[in-house]
Amino acid sequence: MKRKELQSHENRPEKATRIKAGRIQRANYKWIYLFLLPTIVIFAMFYLMPIAQVFVTSFTKWDGFNAPKFNGLTNYINLFTNSSFLIALKNLLWWCVIALTLHVGFGTLVAFVLYQRPHGWKFTRTVFMIPNVISAAAWAMIYKFIFNNDFGILNSVIRVFNPNFNVQWFYKSPWAFWAVTFTWLFYAVIVTLVVLGDLMNIPKELNEAALIDGATGWQLIRYIQLPLCRASIGTSVIASLTSRIAMYEQIALTTSGGPGDDTMSLPIILVKGIMDYRYGYANAVGVVMFIIGLIVLGVVNKLFRMDEASY
């Protein structure tokens, strides 16, 4: 009994210290919550409430002026039976596949090349970044001239080898789809910068240890550098795929979704719904885009194990 009493007496200061630390921590939490309150209010006002309104009004008939009238699933039925919407989903699927492989792959490849610091790598990095500071709308207009059949650079070069070549890239199927794709395909500087930053954060000891163990350059990339860049590549995939979901300027300023519906996208349908004063229908498209974005986020997080530590 005396021994237990002695141990209990010795543990009292430690217990008191822990209780005091817990009280201080709870007091600090109050200040943390207080400083977070403005951010929470702004998020609720400018993000959460508009998103909730989009979901609610997607089940209504609303012209943007008069009060919305509940019409159940009518907007969604009209949307999913619209041939343009189905083509837009198919185009989005193809653009996501291209973005996942070629777009992110090209940006990652450039990052690994720059990481080796070849001669002139700083100049290359700067030049590679310049086109990406130009807005998507400006690039769309530039490409409209590049792909012009009469005086465009592309067709002028092709006619050197084939004088009879005549293609209106943005106005003829199936070339319009690929013309729109090329307006964003190789502008992957964000991917390059994100992956390059992750590469530069890899401890030199890991690379040196692998080289001492006899690893080749390819083995170093495959078994050490690529796995450790998993999070940055996953982040790049998310950014690239969500950009394809929201892609509007490149299409609106070049093909407007044509010829026919060959380059139709969900944002084009959404904007057309607004222009026709069908806000409920347009918000239904917005809900579909939102859900697709959440699915992309969840799948990429799972595939690239974004929640797990790299080291």
Side-chain angles (χ1 to χ4, degrees):
M1 290 293 293
K2 291 182 179 180
R3 182 178 297 175
K4 291 182 179 179
E5 290 176 0
L6 182 62
Q7 290 177 350
S8 177
H9 181 73
E10 291 175 349
N11 290 334
R12 283 176 187 172
E14 296 179 4
K15 186 176 181 180
T17 302
R18 288 197 298 270
I19 292 173
K20 186 177 180 181
R23 289 175 179 171
I24 294 173
Q25 193 173 24
R26 285 193 293 273
N28 289 336
Y29 281 155
K30 295 178 182 178
W31 288 104
I32 292 173
Y33 294 144
L34 181 62
F35 283 114
L36 283 177
L37 184 60
T39 303
I40 295 172
V41 171
I42 292 173
F43 175 79
M45 289 179 60
F46 296 100
Y47 288 92
L48 191 59
M49 290 177 62
I51 290 173
Q53 186 179 23
V54 166
F55 272 83
V56 172
T57 55
S58 68
F59 297 98
T60 66
K61 182 179 181 181
W62 185 31
D63 60 6
F65 298 98
N66 300 306
K69 295 181 180 180
F70 180 76
N71 65 353
L73 296 174
T74 302
N75 291 328
Y76 289 95
I77 293 173
N78 292 337
L79 183 62
F80 280 89
T81 55
N82 185 348
S83 60
S84 297
F85 173 75
L86 299 178
I87 294 174
L89 287 181
K90 184 192 73 171
N91 290 339
L92 177 60
L93 176 62
W94 279 113
W95 278 322
C96 284
V97 171
I98 294 170
L100 178 63
T101 54
L102 297 180
H103 182 72
V104 176
F106 178 69
T108 303
L109 176 63
V110 174
F112 273 85
V113 171
L114 294 178
Y115 179 65
Q116 303 301 322
R117 300 191 176 185
H119 181 70
W121 72 279
K122 289 185 178 180
F123 175 76
T124 303
R125 183 179 61 181
T126 303
V127 172
F128 187 55
M129 186 181 295
I130 290 174
N132 292 270
V133 301
I134 301 175
S135 68
W139 268 122
M141 297 307 296
I142 291 172
Y143 267 88
K144 200 166 184 178
F145 288 103
I146 291 175
F147 283 96
N148 186 277
N149 182 56
D150 299 320
F151 52 82
I153 297 174
L154 179 62
N155 283 9
S156 297
V157 172
I158 295 176
R159 288 193 188 103
V160 173
F161 306 95
N162 184 4
N164 297 322
F165 184 84
N166 286 286
V167 171
Q168 292 283 4
W169 292 90
F170 284 116
Y171 306 104
K172 189 174 181 180
S173 178
W175 307 110
F177 177 88
W178 294 106
V180 169
T181 302
F182 275 104
T183 62
W184 56 265
L185 182 58
F186 295 110
Y187 300 99
V189 70
I190 303 300
V191 177
T192 299
L193 293 179
V194 172
V195 176
L196 184 60
D198 225 9
L199 282 171
M200 290 182 171
N201 285 327
I202 296 176
K204 294 181 180 179
E205 295 79 6
L206 292 177
N207 292 326
E208 292 172 354
L211 292 174
I212 291 174
D213 290 339
T216 63
W218 168 244
Q219 290 173 331
L220 192 66
I221 293 173
R222 182 180 178 184
Y223 295 109
I224 294 181
Q225 294 172 354
L226 267 177
L228 292 180
C229 290
R230 182 184 69 247
S232 60
I233 295 174
T235 301
S236 301
V237 169
I238 291 173
S240 182
L241 296 187
T242 52
S243 295
R244 305 289 71 79
I245 296 172
M247 186 167 61
Y248 175 74
E249 296 97 327
Q250 296 95 322
I251 300 174
L253 295 174
T254 53
T255 65
S256 298
D261 289 328
D262 278 13
T263 59
M264 185 59 64
S265 69
L266 296 180
I268 293 290
I269 297 175
L270 187 151
V271 173
K272 285 183 176 180
I274 294 174
M275 298 297 291
D276 293 337
Y277 301 102
R278 301 170 65 193
Y279 282 75
Y281 181 81
N283 286 346
V285 180
V287 169
V288 172
M289 292 172 61
F290 184 80
I291 293 173
I292 292 174
L294 290 181
I295 293 172
V296 166
L297 185 63
V299 171
V300 174
N301 276 334
K302 190 73 173 177
L303 289 177
F304 287 86
R305 295 177 286 126
M306 302 280 287
D307 297 329
E308 300 179 13
S310 299
Y311 297 94

